[in-house]
Amino acid sequence: MAAVVAVLALAACGTVEPRADAAPAETAAARDQLARRSDQPPSRSESVPTPKSTTPRSTTPVNDASRLRTLPSGTTQVIVVKSSGFGTSTGTLQAFEKRAGAWAPAFARMTARLGSQGFTDRAAEGKPATPTGVYPIGSTMYGIAANPGVRYSYHRLVENDWWNENAETPGYNSFVHGADPGGPSEALWETDPQYRYFAVINYNIPVKEADPPRGSGIFLHVMIPGRATAGCVAIAESDLVKVLRWLNPTAKPRIVMAPAAELDRY
């Protein structure tokens, strides 16, 4: 009887070791108990290694251009201008080109300045904000300086070259040479360094009738450090020259402008 009590006491500690003086039947019973315990599945509290996944991770790069859904099918160059929100006048410009069906960066990210009121979904004449949306690049590039080697038509500005920003005239939101069109029209040849080189962003081209007018003269031009724009997008002159030389009309380029969180709209 004493031997049985000893076996039960040891079993409560989780291990059963048969005593050397135990009877053969008692020793066999203890071994059977150990064998049964070794066949039990592990308890939930025990750690069970989880097999590592063998599924390969995707190697497709994710970038802002890959988020866009409304670009024309033939577009193989896109510029993305974004900011942290609607109210900031500082953002970034990224240029992408399509290679083997996937968007890849053409250059490193560039610092950009926007309108002093940041982005807007409702641009209007005289409002210093950059319009959101997707737009083509105008067919002619301009500049006070000589052609830096662009693939577009290039017009070197001379005296009496204006951008008509007078909504009361037929040539509203277009380049004109001659007399001052009036209103807030810009004397392009005098706006240095901003218009040393620039590309036209075809916002409100062709003009859509609206009251108040939807705005005019939205360009990609040279940045003055520390200064916002009146609604255009501005980058450093060296960056601008790289972008203007890179743009190719046969690639049907587009420029997308919006806060980062809104890019999925386009």
Side-chain angles (χ1 to χ4, degrees), residues 1-265:
M1 183 63 179
V4 174
V5 171
V7 170
L8 292 176
L10 288 170
C13 298
T15 303
V16 177
E17 293 291 343
R19 289 172 45 181
D21 59 349
E26 294 170 352
T27 302
R31 289 174 179 169
D32 288 344
Q33 184 178 359
L34 286 172
R36 286 195 300 271
R37 290 188 58 185
S38 66
D39 291 338
Q40 298 300 312
S43 66
R44 292 185 180 180
S45 61
E46 295 181 38
S47 176
V48 180
T50 302
K52 293 183 179 180
S53 173
T54 57
T55 304
R57 294 182 179 180
S58 172
T59 58
T60 303
V62 176
N63 53 49
D64 287 329
S66 67
R67 296 171 57 188
L68 304 174
R69 296 170 293 143
T70 64
L71 296 176
S73 59
T75 292
T76 57
Q77 289 184 330
V78 65
I79 294 171
V80 177
V81 180
K82 68 177 183 179
S83 68
S84 60
F86 279 97
T88 178
S89 66
T90 300
T92 60
L93 181 148
Q94 300 171 87
F96 298 94
E97 54 194 8
K98 189 169 280 188
R99 303 171 187 165
W103 289 107
F107 308 107
R109 185 174 303 186
M110 304 169 182
T111 297
R113 293 306 301 267
L114 313 172
S116 58
Q117 293 183 6
F119 281 119
T120 181
D121 286 337
R122 297 182 179 180
E125 191 64 54
K127 183 177 181 178
T130 302
T132 56
V134 182
Y135 306 102
I137 301 297
S139 59
T140 300
M141 294 179 177
Y142 300 87
I144 294 170
N147 187 342
V150 301
R151 297 187 237 191
Y152 279 72
S153 297
Y154 187 85
H155 174 77
R156 188 170 186 179
L157 297 168
V158 298
E159 187 174 356
N160 293 322
D161 281 347
W162 301 83
W163 198 266
N164 184 348
E165 299 182 13
N166 183 353
E168 303 300 320
T169 62
Y172 175 56
N173 201 18
S174 68
F175 171 86
V176 295
H177 175 78
D180 182 353
S185 297
E186 293 188 78
L188 300 175
W189 76 99
E190 295 180 340
T191 310
D192 192 15
Q194 297 98 312
Y195 295 164
R196 198 167 291 164
Y197 311 101
F198 70 90
V200 178
I201 298 171
N202 277 359
Y203 166 76
N204 200 25
I205 297 176
V207 173
K208 294 182 180 179
E209 295 294 330
D211 186 16
R214 298 178 71 243
S216 58
I218 304 299
F219 306 141
L220 174 61
H221 65 66
V222 176
M223 175 177 65
I224 297 179
R227 285 177 54 179
T229 73
C232 296
V233 176
I235 57 178
E237 182 174 334
S238 58
D239 288 338
L240 179 64
V241 170
K242 283 195 298 186
V243 172
L244 297 187
R245 287 173 174 168
W246 167 76
L247 285 166
N248 188 339
T250 64
K252 299 180 181 178
R254 294 294 186 270
I255 184 167
V256 181
M257 306 186 294
E262 305 295 323
L263 286 174
D264 290 331
R265 289 162 37 178

